[in-house]
Amino acid sequence: GAGVSQTPSNKVTEKGKYVELRCDPISGHTALYWYRQSLGQGPEFLIYFQGTGAADDSGLPNDRFFAVRPEGSVSTLKIQRTERGDSAVYLCASNPTGTLHEQFFGPGTRLTVL
Amino acid sequence: AQTVTQSQPEMSVQEAETVTLSCTYDTSENNYYLFWYKQPPSRQMILVIRQEAYKQQNATENRFSVNFQKAAKSFSLKISDSQLGDTAMYFCAFMKHGVLLGGSQGNLIFGKGTKLSVKP
């Protein structure tokens, strides 16, 4: 079946603008994760959803970052007043309830803040 | 807090040879999972192999195997018969064991990665 998809693939924006990044998990997967991968680094956890609720948002760097998953499937990561330091690849992953903890990743959105 | 360290930023290996990528981690947890993920230039993270900490037997997956040393907190990846398609970034990752509502919970904690180049 289809894997995790993310749109857009690339996003270029100007400092101070608002952006939304979308993640479409594998159908039926109840758990969804957002990670941020800066250049030359491994991915860093941002937020985890179980169903519609954010079970752990401890990785969000500040209150400019927010994520929603209103119907328990698609999730949107929202970044307000973007800064150049927000430039990174934003990865989304999902996994189903009751499996052996493998997270299936999407191809990521590369965000560039000019 | 848990940390994952990959001390080899870059490695290269000749096609058909064997290469070992190193990973160490720090945790006070007794139950956890360890993973190796591959990230080719397409950016898609692909699971290579997984190890449950409570299992003493090292995981193997075709040409990929691990050397898990729990006391030393070491988790190295061995790739045998290297192929050109193995060229990628390799990330070691840690996850605490947990069950929430019968499902998975918890974020992955990644190392900085090792860039592996397989040369013809």
Side-chain angles (χ1 to χ4, degrees), chain A residues 20-43:
Chain A
E20 289 189 352
L21 312 180
R22 177 188 166 110
C23 173
D24 229 311
I26 294 172
S27 178
H29 282 195
T30 59
L32 186 147
Y33 305 79
W34 284 99
Y35 295 86
R36 178 168 71 174
Q37 186 175 19
S38 300
L39 191 63
Q41 304 293 317

Side-chain angles (χ1 to χ4, degrees), chain B residues 51-59 66-71:
Chain B
Q51 175 81 41
E52 290 87 349
Y54 63 85
K55 289 186 178 178
Q56 292 187 340
Q57 186 173 5
N58 288 323
V66 298
N67 183 2
F68 173 49
Q69 302 289 328
K70 191 173 184 180

Side-chain angles (χ1 to χ4, degrees), chain A residues 4 9-10 31 33 35 37 40-45 48 50 55-56 89 91 95-110, chain B residues 33 35 37 39 41-47 50 52 54 89 91 95-113:
Chain A
V4 178
S9 178
N10 291 282
Y33 305 79
Y35 295 86
Q37 186 175 19
Q41 304 293 317
E44 293 178 310
F45 169 73
Y48 155 60
Q50 181 69 359
D56 183 355
V89 173
L91 296 169
N95 69 355
T97 299
T99 61
L100 292 177
H101 310 279
E102 176 179 354
Q103 294 182 20
F104 297 84
F105 282 81
T109 293
R110 181 179 297 280
Chain B
Y33 299 88
F35 305 83
Y37 275 88
Q39 188 179 42
S42 66
R43 299 198 305 243
Q44 186 119 25
M45 299 283 270
I46 302 163
L47 179 66
R50 168 182 52 227
E52 290 87 349
Y54 63 85
M89 285 291 294
F91 292 95
M95 187 174 75
K96 288 194 297 186
H97 177 272
V99 176
L100 179 68
L101 298 177
S104 173
Q105 73 163 17
N107 50 294
L108 291 163
I109 299 167
F110 288 88
K112 289 189 175 182

Side-chain angles (χ1 to χ4, degrees), chain B residues 20-46:
Chain B
T20 299
L21 308 184
S22 300
C23 173
T24 58
Y25 58 95
D26 189 24
T27 184
S28 58
E29 302 284 331
N30 190 46
N31 292 325
Y32 49 87
Y33 299 88
L34 295 163
F35 305 83
W36 279 97
Y37 275 88
K38 170 185 177 181
Q39 188 179 42
S42 66
R43 299 198 305 243
Q44 186 119 25
M45 299 283 270
I46 302 163

Side-chain angles (χ1 to χ4, degrees), chain A residues 62-78:
Chain A
N62 51 60
D63 60 6
R64 295 187 298 105
F65 288 75
F66 189 71
V68 296
R69 195 185 184 200
E71 297 177 358
S73 54
V74 170
S75 177
T76 304
L77 179 65
K78 308 180 180 194

